[in-house]
Amino acid sequence: SRDILAAIAGRARDAARDGQATGPAAPRRADAVVVDDDDDGPSSDRALDVVRRLKRFFAARARPPETAAILAEFPDVADPVLFRSILRQLAECRAGRWYPKG
């Protein structure tokens, strides 16, 4: 999950370098990157929310879930590319079931 968060932070740095970043007084876009003061470094609120929810989802199951169960549990995730990327960082699909990594 750190890799995806680093990629998101990299996009924010690129936007800031090109003069497209929003300042603290400007309204924050839904996909804006914020810098946390904790050990995780740069992060996206949405990405962190998806990571936390997926980890809880996997921890609550006795068997690895099928893709349909994951999609049914997360219909509210607005960014499918981000969701897919985070899901693949946290789990791998084998024979139609998603197994948590590590």
Side-chain angles (χ1 to χ4, degrees):
S1 62
R2 288 185 188 265
D3 293 339
I4 188 68
L5 297 176
I8 293 168
R11 284 197 322 244
R13 281 192 301 275
D14 293 345
R17 185 179 55 239
D18 295 340
Q20 299 171 357
T22 59
R28 203 173 96 213
R29 296 184 347 225
D31 62 346
V33 172
V34 293
V35 176
D36 294 338
D37 291 328
D38 61 11
D39 294 337
D40 292 334
S43 63
S44 162
D45 290 338
R46 290 186 317 157
L48 286 174
D49 181 55
V50 171
V51 168
R52 289 179 185 125
R53 288 178 61 197
L54 275 168
K55 285 183 176 183
R56 282 193 307 263
F57 177 78
F58 283 114
R61 270 129 196 95
R63 286 185 57 184
E66 294 179 340
T67 301
I70 294 172
L71 295 176
E73 183 72 21
F74 295 90
D76 60 316
V77 176
D79 187 343
V81 174
L82 177 66
F83 182 79
R84 180 178 182 215
S85 178
I86 293 171
L87 176 60
R88 288 183 173 203
Q89 289 284 322
L90 299 177
E92 63 181 336
C93 187
R94 291 181 298 205
R97 294 199 173 269
W98 287 87
Y99 293 82
K101 292 181 178 177

